[in-house]
C-alpha cells in the first residue's frame, strides 16, 4: 500500500483566479475589428476565442468567402494555443521549422493575435478574408480595443 503525503489534508493549495473573456467584451473587440475592415472596405471574418480556443464570437462580413470562417477560427485557436501571433508560427516554418506543419489543427498564417491582459492570455482573435497583412491589421484593431478593459482593474 502506498501512502500519499498530504493527501486528504489541508495544504497551501488554492484555486487560481483568472481573468476571463466575456461575450460582451468579445463583441466590443469584434466591433473594433469590423470598423477597421469597413473603413478599408474589406470583407473579412473575425473570430474571437477564449483561453481554451473555443469560439466566443464570430462575424462574417457580407461578401466574405465561406472558407474564411474556418481559417479565421484556426488562426485564433493557433494564436491562443501558442500564446503568440500566428505570424511568428508562419515565420518559423518559412525559416525551416517545417516539422511544425505536422501539428494537428495549426494554422500558421498571419492574422491571428493573442488577447493578453496583465501578462495572462485570455483568448485570441483571428481574421481571414483579405491579405494576411490586412487580416492582421483588422486583428490589431480588435486587440487595441482590449486596453480599455485591462485598465479597469
Amino acid at each position: 500500500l502506498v501512502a500519499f503525503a498530504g493527501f486528504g489534508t489541508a495544504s497551501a493549495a488554492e484555486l487560481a483566479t483568472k481573468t476571463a473573456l466575456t461575450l460582451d467584451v468579445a463583441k466590443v473587440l469584434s466591433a473594433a475589428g469590423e470598423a477597421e475592415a469597413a473603413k478599408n472596405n474589406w470583407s473579412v471574418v473575425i473570430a474571437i476565442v477564449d483561453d481554451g480556443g473555443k469560439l466566443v464570437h464570430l462575424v462574417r462580413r457580407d461578401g466574405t468567402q465561406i472558407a474564411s470562417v474556418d481559417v479565421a477560427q484556426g488562426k485564433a485557436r493557433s494564436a491562443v494555443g501558442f500564446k503568440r501571433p500566428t505570424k511568428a508560427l508562419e515565420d518559423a516554418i518559412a525559416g525551416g521549422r517545417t516539422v511544425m506543419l505536422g501539428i494537428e489543427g495549426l494554422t500558421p498564417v498571419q492574422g491571428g493575435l493573442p488577447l493578453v491582459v496583465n501578462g495572462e492570455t485570455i483568448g485570441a482573435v483571428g481574421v481571414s478574408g483579405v491579405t494576411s497583412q490586412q487580416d492582421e491589421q483588422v486583428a490589431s484593431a480588435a486587440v487595441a480595443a482590449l486596453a480599455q478593459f485591462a485598465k479597469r482593474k
Side-chain angles (χ1 to χ4, degrees):
L1 195 60
V2 178
F4 294 99
F7 184 75
T9 63
S11 70
E14 293 183 30
L15 293 174
T17 300
K18 68 178 189 175
T19 303
L21 180 65
T22 64
L23 176 59
D24 288 340
V25 171
K27 286 178 179 180
V28 170
L29 305 183
S30 183
E34 195 171 358
E36 180 67 21
K39 178 178 81 173
N40 290 288
N41 199 29
W42 294 335
S43 295
V44 297
V45 171
I46 301 166
I48 311 277
V49 300
D50 64 15
D51 61 346
K54 299 303 180 190
L55 188 64
V56 176
H57 187 67
L58 184 132
V59 171
R60 178 175 164 231
R61 290 181 45 82
D62 292 343
T64 307
Q65 63 268 10
I66 294 168
S68 286
V69 171
D70 293 328
V71 175
Q73 290 179 78
K75 288 179 182 184
R77 282 192 304 271
S78 295
V80 76
F82 286 90
K83 296 185 176 185
R84 67 196 64 195
T86 53
K87 175 76 165 102
L89 305 172
E90 180 179 350
D91 290 346
I93 292 168
R97 293 280 301 155
T98 56
V99 69
M100 293 182 72
L101 292 171
I103 299 172
E104 186 176 339
L106 182 68
T107 306
V109 182
Q110 185 176 2
L113 297 173
L115 299 170
V116 181
V117 175
N118 299 324
E120 184 178 353
T121 302
I122 64 164
V125 57
V127 178
S128 178
V130 284
T131 69
S132 293
Q133 295 80 11
Q134 292 166 335
D135 289 344
E136 187 164 302
Q137 183 177 329
V138 173
S140 293
V143 170
L146 186 61
Q148 67 185 296
F149 299 101
K151 291 178 182 176
R152 291 182 182 177
K153 291 213 164 214

